[in-house]
Amino acid sequence: MSDEEFLIEARSMKKYFPLRGGLLKKEFGAVRAVDDISFFIRQGETLGLVGESGCGKTTTGRCMLMLSPLTEGDIYYKMPGDVRKRMVELEEKEASLPQPKKRKKSKKVPKPEDPDMLELWEIRQKYALNRKDPETLRRLRREMQIVFQDPFSSLNPRMLVKDIIGEPLKVHGVLEGDQITERVKLLMERVGLNPDHLYRYPHEFSGGQRQRIGVARALSLNPNFIVLDEPTSALDVSVQAQILNMLNDLQNELGLTYLFISHDLSTIRHMCDRVNVMYLGKIVESGTKEHVFENPLHPYTTALISVIPVPDPELKRERVVLAGDVPSPANPPSGCRFHTRCRFRQEICEIEDPPLEDKGNGHLVACHFR
Amino acid sequence: MSILNRKKKDEQNAAPADEAKENAPSVEEKASAVNEEVKQAPKKETKGRGRLDPLIKSIQPRVREFRVSMKLLSKSFLAMLGLIIVITMVIIALLAPLLAPPPPEWRDTSIVPKYFNQGISPPGSTYFDPVHNRTVDFILGSGEDGSDIYYGVIWGAQTSIRLALVVVLSAVVMGIIVGAVAGYYGGKIDELMMRVTDVFLSIPGLVLAMAVIAVLKPTIDNIMISLVIVWWPSYARLIRGQVMTIKENTYVEAARAIGAKKNRILFRHIIPNAISPMLVSATMDIGSIVLTTAGLSYIGFGPPGVAEWGRMANEGAGYIVGFISYQGVSYNPYWIIFFPGMMIFLFVMGFNLLGDGLRDILDPRLRR
């Protein structure tokens, strides 16, 4: 198990947005958008990321592609299984060592002297996306792409469709001149657009068509890994189905790996192999689609799943409706973050934060009572 | 619910990780496969028109957009009036040598010819020039020292347009460079550049221009330099604000995600979207620049003798309530100040109306 190879893996990823105020812009707090989460995605699978608005799903997606810098933690890309095994061993050793004093100001961490720690440092430098220099990262972007939520603002209104889809090819110098046009035509056909509409502006297309343009742009470099950031939430239901089916077909055909971000459990169920449920910047439950949907363990997941509409008016179910709003991620509740809205709340929940633990078959849950 | 009923990639779920990996060729392989695919695609005829085809096709949508703009513009009466005035001014400026031919011996066409013996004379008067043995018609009368008002009014259009265009273009370019860099990179560069801009903005424009001209010499070129110095900070401000809004757009993030370099993002994605409000501002400023130049010349900072409306109006200022006598008849020489003043008025109004119209049609909310 631990020898397994993952395409991309986030380890103890944190993303805080500092809150500044006052005359000297002093930092007085931080919005903990993503607070210490770890997960992995295997080559060719789809991982779903589900949660309420503001729980940090989109931030997670953006961080995976290094579109915003991490506060802490690492994202490893294409790390061989044996190296990973070694790294986990070394990490355990690192945790047992006394923590070095935290330095302020100086951003450069000196190379560690201990040979084991040096090895760990080297492994991290080699495989962690967030430690790569900008130029290497820029080249790696060929392999990882993103499809954005809002198809109306994700396309430059002053560029022709041909230039929008062809831009990645131009930027990376993969193809030139007429070859770009040919490739763009192929891509447009592939995503179900009329290749005759090559010389048009984005505003001449409908929402669904624009999202197809977005998908074509993401596909143009033959990426390995695509983050789908709520790709259908801005579209109406019939168009949603078309786009989702197209994404599925593309995955089967091109062997793509998806990180599918959505707040809509039905689409998650349709698209994903495994699901991570997020609440206030933390992963509360993680497992295969079957585990999470048929045997939800975390009270939050149970609540979410119980309110999915079922096309059977006779069926009587227990519905769990969550009361209250999501607490502010700038000032999260103590202990278990869900305790303010949880039905099974007990004293311990307010004091201790439950760790994400394996409850069998890789089904991870963060709750004291499961 | 057809989404849910659709059969899902069963084999993928069942396949262990390494098998899935085999199914997925590496990125390099895929990329080269596509290259092959493209190369094998039948080559199109590249002879004759075929070669120009992509060029024509990529221009077509721009022409289409331009037509839409013109159609929207034509709906507004005032904007059309502005456009007509502007076009007329441009035609006058271009055809100045035909409309008001300078005397054959005249070397510098920007200087208004003078006939000292004539003095101030009303519109329609004539003068026989004994030196060159010819008759001169003063269609719009003559000013002090017998300067030809009609000549000045016509050639003044050329002076004004040339001056306004040079000033606006230079100020816009400077503004874009400073504003875009400050807005895009932010931080200390932004702080430094904006404080410098603030220093320029803190001095009243006319005073700053006067100071610059006083240091240099009062020529048209120096007036241009002084006006560029006065005008660029406001463009820098405008562009900085635009850039800061636009860089938060998702398409800029999309450009980062595909691995575009910073310069490319700035020049291809941010600046093209940031300049449309500046287009409006620049059009309106052409009017203001001419007005300021006229003001400068009026208070005596203009180059002597040049066909420039403000300077010409200044000549007549002393006669607003006065009278002159020409061939035994007493006149109030309104023409010295009226015709150049009218030109300034029309010119500024024309560009302001056009600018207003452009603001309306460039507003994306009104566009579609």
Side-chain angles (χ1 to χ4, degrees), chain B residues 78-366:
Chain B
L78 286 177
M80 277 321 274
L81 183 67
L83 187 65
I84 288 166
I85 295 174
V86 166
I87 290 173
T88 315
M89 288 289 174
V90 171
I91 289 172
I92 290 175
L94 290 175
L95 296 184
L98 294 176
L99 292 170
E105 75 280 2
W106 215 245
R107 263 178 273 143
D108 186 354
T109 52
S110 68
I111 304 284
V112 183
K114 283 179 179 179
Y115 304 91
F116 290 95
N117 294 336
Q118 175 73 353
I120 299 173
S121 60
S125 54
T126 55
Y127 170 69
F128 182 73
D129 182 2
V131 184
H132 300 103
N133 194 22
R134 63 171 180 246
T135 312
V136 182
D137 290 313
F138 291 106
I139 300 169
L140 299 177
S142 62
E144 276 178 338
D145 306 331
S147 61
D148 189 345
I149 304 278
Y150 175 69
Y151 185 94
V153 161
I154 297 294
W155 286 84
Q158 209 176 69
T159 314
S160 299
I161 287 177
R162 194 167 59 95
L163 182 131
L165 283 183
V166 171
V167 171
V168 161
L169 287 180
S170 324
V172 160
V173 169
M174 270 183 83
I176 288 180
I177 294 170
V178 174
V181 168
Y184 186 53
Y185 292 99
K188 280 180 183 152
I189 301 174
D190 180 30
E191 204 67 24
L192 179 76
M193 284 182 153
M194 282 302 113
R195 291 303 80 79
V196 172
T197 324
D198 283 348
V199 169
F200 279 94
L201 281 171
S202 65
I203 308 166
L206 205 59
V207 176
L208 182 60
M210 277 158 61
V212 175
I213 297 168
V215 171
L216 305 167
K217 263 190 289 178
T219 62
I220 289 285
D221 290 345
N222 289 343
I223 289 181
M224 286 182 193
I225 293 172
S226 71
L227 291 179
V228 172
I229 292 173
V230 170
W231 246 274
W232 75 266
S234 55
Y235 288 122
R237 271 275 165 99
L238 189 70
I239 281 289
R240 174 178 173 263
Q242 281 293 316
V243 168
M244 286 174 80
T245 333
I246 288 164
K247 81 172 177 187
E248 299 304 322
N249 269 319
T250 324
Y251 58 81
V252 174
E253 200 177 344
R256 284 210 296 135
I258 61 170
K261 287 180 182 161
K262 278 194 167 185
N263 283 348
R264 187 185 174 85
I265 294 174
L266 188 57
F267 287 105
R268 293 275 299 174
H269 296 273
I270 295 179
I271 290 181
N273 284 292
I275 51 176
S276 75
M278 195 149 83
L279 196 64
V280 175
S281 166
T283 313
M284 304 262 248
D285 279 350
I286 288 183
S288 330
I289 283 165
V290 167
L291 203 59
T292 311
T293 316
L296 280 170
S297 323
Y298 190 85
I299 53 175
F301 282 82
V306 167
E308 204 285 313
W309 297 328
R311 187 199 59 78
M312 290 164 66
N314 177 34
E315 267 183 26
Y319 299 95
I320 290 175
V321 291
F323 285 87
I324 57 113
S325 163
Y326 177 72
Q327 291 177 345
V329 189
S330 177
Y331 295 95
N332 169 264
Y334 68 89
W335 57 85
I336 310 180
I337 195 162
F338 177 76
F339 293 113
M342 208 57 201
M343 287 303 272
I344 297 173
F345 167 70
L346 283 175
F347 190 96
V348 175
M349 189 181 76
F351 276 97
N352 276 3
L353 290 178
L354 181 64
D356 251 353
L358 283 180
R359 165 157 43 219
D360 290 345
I361 63 163
L362 290 176
D363 187 339
R365 278 165 300 178
L366 295 173

Side-chain angles (χ1 to χ4, degrees), chain A residues 36-324:
Chain A
D36 199 357
I37 67 172
S38 304
F39 61 90
F40 58 86
I41 308 174
R42 294 188 190 97
Q43 171 79 49
E45 75 172 353
T46 302
L47 176 71
L49 207 54
V50 67
E52 281 167 291
S53 305
C55 72
K57 310 178 296 264
T58 298
T59 311
T60 308
R62 296 186 52 207
C63 287
M64 292 300 279
L65 295 183
M66 290 293 116
L67 288 173
S68 67
L70 299 182
T71 309
E72 253 177 68
D74 289 294
I75 288 165
Y76 299 103
Y77 181 67
K78 279 194 175 168
M79 181 189 257
D82 49 338
V83 178
R84 185 179 181 278
K85 197 176 174 185
R86 176 81 182 130
M87 189 187 74
V88 174
E89 278 172 33
L90 291 167
E91 267 182 355
E92 273 162 17
K93 197 183 165 195
E94 187 194 32
S96 65
L97 288 173
Q99 287 288 314
K101 276 183 196 169
K102 277 207 173 175
R103 299 173 186 221
K104 278 189 177 178
K105 297 258 174 173
S106 72
K107 280 182 183 171
K108 278 207 169 175
V109 183
K111 276 191 188 182
E113 280 155 22
D114 183 273
D116 279 352
M117 289 304 104
L118 188 66
E119 193 186 343
L120 180 63
W121 184 83
E122 273 167 359
I123 291 173
R124 283 180 173 160
Q125 291 295 327
K126 195 170 171 193
Y127 294 102
L129 285 179
N130 47 311
R131 292 168 193 243
K132 299 224 190 251
D133 65 279
E135 189 52 34
T136 321
L137 189 62
R138 205 179 72 76
R139 288 211 201 95
L140 266 175
R141 291 203 185 282
R142 280 174 64 168
E143 302 180 24
M144 43 186 83
Q145 284 297 321
I146 182 165
V147 175
F148 290 96
Q149 177 175 11
D150 181 6
F152 292 89
S153 74
S154 65
L155 307 174
N156 185 342
R158 290 189 188 271
M159 278 169 85
L160 297 172
V161 172
K162 168 186 169 259
D163 297 328
I164 292 174
I165 301 176
E167 193 178 19
L169 301 164
K170 218 176 208 169
V171 163
H172 290 280
V174 185
L175 296 173
E176 273 171 11
D178 288 349
Q179 291 182 328
I180 292 184
T181 318
E182 291 303 316
R183 172 94 175 114
V184 171
K185 277 187 185 166
L186 280 176
L187 282 164
M188 285 176 81
E189 249 166 84
R190 189 62 204 80
V191 298
L193 289 166
N194 183 350
D196 292 341
H197 296 167
L198 209 55
Y199 297 98
R200 291 208 177 177
Y201 285 103
H203 63 69
E204 297 173 69
F205 294 88
S206 71
Q209 285 174 317
R210 281 161 167 246
Q211 200 56 290
R212 287 172 194 267
I213 297 172
V215 174
R217 170 174 63 189
L219 286 177
S220 63
L221 287 167
N222 283 312
N224 215 347
F225 173 55
I226 300 184
V227 173
L228 302 166
D229 183 6
E230 306 207 29
T232 56
S233 65
L235 308 173
D236 60 56
V237 180
S238 61
V239 182
Q240 277 188 17
Q242 291 171 12
I243 299 279
L244 292 177
N245 289 340
M246 178 184 83
L247 289 169
N248 262 338
D249 294 345
L250 288 169
Q251 182 173 42
N252 292 339
E253 209 170 294
L254 304 169
L256 297 168
T257 307
Y258 288 153
L259 172 63
F260 188 87
I261 299 169
S262 179
H263 57 252
D264 180 358
L265 284 161
S266 324
T267 54
I268 289 271
R269 189 177 215 165
H270 178 60
M271 290 293 290
C272 303
D273 304 312
R274 287 188 307 117
V275 184
N276 278 350
V277 183
M278 272 185 89
Y279 184 78
L280 264 186
K282 287 237 180 221
I283 292 176
V284 293
E285 184 156 0
S286 168
T288 60
K289 178 171 76 183
E290 291 74 24
H291 279 147
V292 173
F293 280 90
E294 272 135 46
N295 182 24
L297 292 178
H298 196 279
Y300 180 61
T301 322
T302 324
L304 286 184
I305 288 169
S306 76
V307 292
I308 302 178
V310 175
D312 180 3
E314 302 296 316
L315 189 73
K316 291 272 180 275
R317 296 183 299 168
E318 190 196 4
R319 279 193 176 211
V320 187
V321 179
L322 291 174

Side-chain angles (χ1 to χ4, degrees), chain B residues 8-71:
Chain B
K8 253 208 82 191
K9 37 192 178 159
D10 295 334
E11 53 305 68
Q12 283 245 344
N13 285 345
D18 39 354
E19 210 181 305
K21 227 173 74 189
E22 265 182 30
N23 292 342
S26 81
V27 178
E28 288 76 25
E29 279 167 17
K30 274 191 277 174
S32 61
V34 171
N35 289 357
E36 284 306 306
E37 208 175 338
V38 170
K39 275 173 194 157
Q40 280 166 12
K43 280 266 173 187
K44 285 205 171 161
E45 284 291 315
T46 48
K47 282 175 194 168
R49 259 199 83 222
R51 183 163 250 180
L52 281 173
D53 234 34
L55 189 71
I56 294 167
K57 272 189 183 154
S58 57
I59 289 169
Q60 267 171 356
R62 287 180 178 101
V63 173
R64 212 159 58 224
E65 288 298 300
F66 183 71
R67 284 217 184 115
V68 173
S69 303
M70 290 315 288
K71 210 173 163 187

